[in-house]
């Protein structure tokens, strides 16, 4: 008539309904404290990532500009540019 396994299960979950909840709220404060302490580290890491990405983008743009400038310089020295202006045909 009396089921010991049901009683044991109720007893194990009793901390959820009794004063054991205070323990969980203290754990929540520890988690919040850790998150607040990690916030400056996150901002510092984010700053470093943004600086790295900006530097790599700037270097990539400089490489493209240098390549285009060298290509135009080669074409200019080889006289490959069309020097006459475009004129529409006469009617």
């Amino acid at each position: 008539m009396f089921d010991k396994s049901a009683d044991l299960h109720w007893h194990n979950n009793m901390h959820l309904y009794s004063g054991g909840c205070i323990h969980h709220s203290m754990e929540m404060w520890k988690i919040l404290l850790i998150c607040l302490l990690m916030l400056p580290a996150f901002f510092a890491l984010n700053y470093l990532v943004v600086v790295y990405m900006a530097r790599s983008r700037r270097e990539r743009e400089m490489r493209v500009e240098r390549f285009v400038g060298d290509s135009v310089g080669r074409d200019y020295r080889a006289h490959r540019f069309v020097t006459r202006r475009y004129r529409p045909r006469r009617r």
Side-chain angles (χ1 to χ4, degrees), residues 5-55:
S5 64
D7 185 46
L8 185 63
H9 180 71
W10 181 84
H11 182 58
N12 286 339
N13 289 330
M14 193 171 127
H15 71 278
L16 295 175
Y17 308 109
S18 64
C21 288
I22 294 172
H23 176 69
H24 291 295
S25 66
M26 288 174 64
E27 297 253 344
M28 192 62 132
W29 282 109
K30 289 179 186 177
I31 292 169
L32 288 173
L33 182 65
I34 289 171
C35 289
L36 287 175
L37 291 175
M38 292 298 287
L39 206 56
F42 169 75
F43 285 134
L45 186 64
N46 187 28
Y47 174 77
L48 292 175
V49 168
V50 168
V51 166
Y52 172 76
M53 296 300 285
R55 183 184 307 139

Side-chain angles (χ1 to χ4, degrees), residues 44 46 54 63-64 71 80 84:
N46 187 28
R63 276 197 307 268
V64 168
S71 175
R80 284 188 231 169
R84 289 181 293 170

